[in-house]
Amino acid sequence: MSIRKVAILGSTGSVGTQALEVIRAFPELLEVSVLTAASNAEALIAQAIEFKPKAVAITDERCFEQVKLALNSLGITVYTSEAGLVEVVQYDEIDVVLNAIVGAAGLRPTIEAIQKKRDIALANKETLVVAGALMMDMVKKYDVKMLPVDSEHSAIFQCLVGEQANPIEKVILTASGGPFRGKKRSFLEKVTKKEALKHPNWVMGAKITIDSASLMNKGLEVIEAKWLFDLSVDQVEVVVHPQSVIHSMVQFQDGSIKAQMGLPDMKLPIQNALTYPYRQQNSFERFDFLKYPSLTFEPADTGTFRNLDLAYQALREGGDRPCVLNAANEVAVDAFLHDQLSFLGMSDLIEATMCQLNVVKEPNLDDLIEIDRESRIMARDLINKNKR
Ligand code: NAD
Ligand code: MG
């Protein structure tokens, strides 16, 4: 494998910092050319001093001077604002863009990177939820690779190696069930953000941790899988597997099932995407079957956790519905984290927002950006009305 130059968007987050751990483990194979963050200037500066990228971007303009002052003398160009994010993606010395931004904010940089013919290592699932059809068309048109980083999709991707000629019967996404697995609505009515932020198997950013507790994360992943692997809605199933050891499975037309397994450690799918198609030896902790004597499976409780069904519904209705679902969910999670909405109130808000806005059947990218904006305003209005 020849050396790969990596741009990490969202390098100060959970996926971003784990990606830097992977790069640290392969100094002869992976090199950082660009780093970006929203507002954590200190962390971005420290990363840039260690990894010496050609450029960094800090989207919060209030942090620009601080970052520039710290890095300009090292020959690192500093950009700011959302426009800066778009500019760094176009930098010449990039082979692969790891998009580890959270939320629909990741959409525009993904588009720019594809248009510049960069391969994409995608953690930012919201890109595919908002604009999956258009993104996959662009991937074909510009002949780039879309390498999944999300552990479930990485698992499916790995199961499909060597199976090009063999149609998929279905994929089975595994879900941990989150911290509230087995709980009923009466319990969930009163849960706090502190409880929701405690994931049993993974340490992640706040938004995806809440999404995991509410099962919206699995809903977004169903949509992500549909687009990545060109499946119909009915070909994507979810099964709860609390140990998070089987990362997902593919069932072929002969009934045979391939599963990809390992410790729940994001460094593994990140490495897989950054070094694809090679498997490089590392010293990350190994899985021990004897420590997991029983692997269990159960159905998702969609009566209690309504978000998973809302996501399936959005996918079945198609058009702009997944974009509206995603935008309303981002507002809902933010409101829950600011004590403005209850845990169960999140599903109600998403459903109400989807009901309020008319369906747009074949939105283009500009439409989707506008629909994302309108959905957020609608969801915010609904929260404010409820407060009065
Ligand atoms: P995080 O909140 O820990 O990090 C997000 C990063 O993006 C930070 O560097 C932040 O500065 C930056 N960022 C946030 N908002 C931004 C904006 N509006 N514009 C530009 N940059 C912005 O999030 P995370 O847990 O690392 O998740 C990142 C993405 O990866 C999400 O889409 C998530 O669903 C997905 N993902 C995460 C994990 C995980 O283990 N954390 C696993 C699978 C998929
Ligand atoms: Mg996942």
Side-chain angles (χ1 to χ4, degrees), residues 51-66:
F51 289 94
K52 302 182 181 56
K54 297 279 180 284
V56 303
I58 182 113
T59 35
D60 186 336
E61 291 172 41
R62 291 167 301 182
C63 307
F64 179 53
E65 284 305 323
Q66 182 191 352

Side-chain angles (χ1 to χ4, degrees), residues 10-16 18 36-39 59 85 100-103 105 123-126 150-151 203-206 208 217 266:
S11 63
T12 56
S14 163
V15 171
Q18 293 181 86
T36 83
S39 58
T59 35
L85 201 57
I101 290 175
V102 59
N124 178 252
K125 64 193 83 185
E126 293 90 345
D150 213 348
S151 58
V203 179
M204 310 178 286
I208 183 176
N217 184 49
M266 282 305 294

Side-chain angles (χ1 to χ4, degrees), residues 103-114:
L107 177 63
R108 214 182 271 275
T110 315
I111 295 170
E112 297 294 333
I114 295 175

Side-chain angles (χ1 to χ4, degrees), residues 125 149-153 174 202 204 208 212 217-218 221 224 247 266:
K125 64 193 83 185
V149 169
D150 213 348
S151 58
E152 296 77 1
H153 306 74
T174 50
W202 303 92
M204 310 178 286
I208 183 176
S212 299
N217 184 49
K218 214 46 57 180
E221 291 183 354
E224 183 185 12
H247 297 310
M266 282 305 294

